[in-house]
Amino acid sequence: MIVHQREVRYSSDMSDSKTTRAVTVGGRGKTKRITLGGGAPVVIQTMWKEGIAHLADDDAGRARLVERIAALEHIGCGVLRFAVPDKESARSLAAIAADCTMPLVADIHFDYRLALACLAGPVAAIRINPGNIGRVENVKAVVAACRDAGAAIRIGVNSGSLPRDIAAAVRDGTMSRAAALAAAAAREAAILDALNFSAVVVSMKSSSVQETIAANELFAQQSDIPLHIGVTEAGPLIGGVVKSTIALTALLRKDIGATVRVSLSSAPEHEVIAAREILRETGKRTGGVTIVSCPRCGREGFDVHAFVARWQQELLALEKDITVAVMGCAVNGPGEGRHADVGITGAGGKAIIFKRGEIVQTVDEKDADKVFRDVLYSL
């Protein structure tokens, strides 16, 4: 269930304080204008997990997707990237972007004409490697189109797409993989710099936590380009969150990173929620709802897992700076949840709703959601 959208608030000491240029994305059509780098708050990104070619002529299908994009935006996603492998996908993305308020990024490989087709709509940025789209004329065409549209370019480098000479240096041991990622990114950025195009964001990702950290540290020492940071191919939910947390925390605490993605073999919603928590715990974000829930045990009298699953997305979209506690039994109920603004627990078919440590109502479990909602929205 989705409630009205809210802007997450940030305190003045919670921004990306690394001295980077400011790059603006969005601002065309309905799309919000967002600043990356230059002292702006760190922005959460994710990537759509499904193809969109089939939506080119499916108005109803695109409308459903736009609703799902809005749901991601409500829980804190600031930028969403789409793979664009063909003309139909490009046509779809241009149409989707026209109906979205969130800035959308087109992920392009090899065929520069797909980037041009995407920019027929209010797509906010193009993700390319200038070195893999052919002749310099192709790069110039993309840069000219982005300049005319007010779109940014994101250079994306990973360990599987290194230039041949740099990859050879890694193989013969004369260059570390982290240094290779930074060198490849610098080479790609130089192409755009030579064309006097400065609306650039760079990402250097590895499936290795330490390589990801080292590559971004190296690049940040030599460039003012804002960085999109994350561990690529981090794995399934649990392992991926662990790897991403370690890497992103190390970089964010050094004020490296204008935008982040937690890449998981899981739903985009999980990526956004994980990124929210990392930004909160590293001091880069404040405001919004904090959910505290117990892990559940043999004392359980209330189905914590089911309640959190039902409520998480609605809670995260609320325009409230509150803590919500969901506890499994009387032991972990109002006592351990005393610090929470509102909470719920239960036992014996009853649900107990409490506010700031004091029980306000005990109801049949079937009425729990209704009463909890009433108390929640009374805050």
Side-chain angles (χ1 to χ4, degrees):
M1 188 180 299
I2 299 299
V3 296
H4 54 290
Q5 186 176 343
R6 56 116 173 92
E7 294 288 343
V8 176
R9 292 176 293 284
Y10 300 83
S11 66
S12 60
D13 62 348
M14 287 188 173
S15 61
D16 169 25
S17 62
K18 194 76 176 176
T19 305
T20 67
R21 70 183 71 163
V23 173
T24 300
V25 296
R28 287 203 296 158
K30 300 178 181 178
T31 308
K32 289 180 180 177
R33 186 182 298 274
I34 292 177
T35 300
L36 304 177
V42 179
V43 175
I44 295 170
Q45 294 193 30
T46 187
M47 188 167 185
W48 194 246
K49 309 280 185 170
E50 303 162 11
I52 57 172
H54 64 289
L55 297 176
D57 297 306
D58 182 358
D59 293 347
R62 289 200 308 275
R64 288 191 294 272
L65 176 54
V66 168
E67 289 182 2
R68 294 180 67 185
I69 293 170
L72 286 170
E73 189 172 14
H74 284 309
I75 63 171
C77 187
V79 175
L80 180 62
R81 182 160 52 108
F82 285 82
V84 182
D86 50 49
K87 292 179 181 178
E88 291 305 296
S89 297
R91 192 156 65 90
S92 292
L93 186 59
I96 292 163
D99 290 326
C100 287
T101 57
M102 191 195 306
L104 306 185
V105 178
D107 194 302
I108 307 295
H109 289 278
F110 308 118
D111 189 346
Y112 78 101
R113 293 169 297 183
L114 296 178
L116 306 183
C118 288
L119 291 168
V123 170
I126 302 295
R127 188 272 195 190
I128 60 168
N129 287 352
N132 77 6
I133 60 172
R135 300 177 302 166
V136 66
E137 288 78 7
N138 298 347
V139 179
K140 288 180 177 178
V142 173
V143 167
C146 286
R147 184 177 280 119
D148 290 344
I153 292 177
R154 172 184 150 190
I155 295 169
V157 176
N158 59 54
S159 55
S161 62
L162 296 173
R164 290 182 181 179
D165 61 322
I166 294 178
V170 173
R171 285 194 301 272
D172 65 25
T174 59
M175 182 180 284
S176 70
R177 196 175 298 275
L181 288 168
R187 181 181 295 181
E188 300 283 5
I191 296 172
L192 299 181
D193 186 58
L195 296 172
N196 296 313
F197 188 82
S198 61
V200 179
V201 176
V202 162
S203 68
M204 294 154 292
K205 296 183 179 181
S206 168
S207 57
S208 161
V209 169
Q210 297 307 318
E211 285 177 5
T212 297
I213 294 170
N216 282 276
E217 288 177 341
L218 285 169
F219 190 90
Q221 290 168 7
Q222 63 186 1
S223 176
D224 72 338
I225 297 175
L227 294 175
H228 168 60
I229 59 175
V231 177
T232 193
E233 299 161 354
L237 184 61
I238 296 173
V241 168
V242 171
K243 290 179 182 178
S244 297
T245 300
I246 294 169
L248 294 181
T249 298
L251 292 168
L252 290 168
R253 284 182 172 168
K254 294 183 178 180
D255 293 319
I256 297 173
T259 172
V260 303
R261 180 188 174 193
V262 176
S263 299
L264 303 172
S265 300
S266 188
E269 289 81 3
H270 292 160
E271 296 190 353
V272 174
I273 293 166
R276 275 181 63 135
E277 294 304 311
I278 292 169
L279 292 182
R280 184 190 301 279
E281 295 305 322
T282 53
K284 295 294 183 181
R285 180 187 182 115
T286 189
V289 173
T290 299
I291 301 173
V292 176
S293 60
C294 74
R296 205 166 74 178
C297 69
R299 290 192 304 266
E300 182 202 15
F302 183 73
D303 194 342
V304 172
H305 296 184
F307 188 86
V308 171
R310 288 197 305 275
W311 276 89
Q312 179 172 250
Q313 195 157 325
E314 181 173 352
L315 289 171
L316 293 180
L318 285 175
E319 287 189 36
K320 293 179 182 290
D321 296 339
I322 59 172
T323 297
V324 176
V326 185
M327 301 299 185
C329 68
V331 173
N332 290 335
E336 291 193 21
R338 186 172 299 279
H339 64 287
D341 296 280
V342 64
I344 188 167
T345 185
K350 297 291 185 179
I352 302 167
I353 292 88
F354 54 94
K355 183 164 64 173
R356 300 184 179 95
E358 300 296 328
I359 295 173
V360 294
Q361 245 180 304
T362 301
V363 300
D364 289 338
E365 203 167 291
K366 63 181 176 61
D367 299 319
D369 285 51
K370 178 183 182 303
V371 176
F372 176 80
R373 177 173 277 105
D374 291 342
V375 175
L376 172 69
Y377 283 93
S378 72
L379 293 174

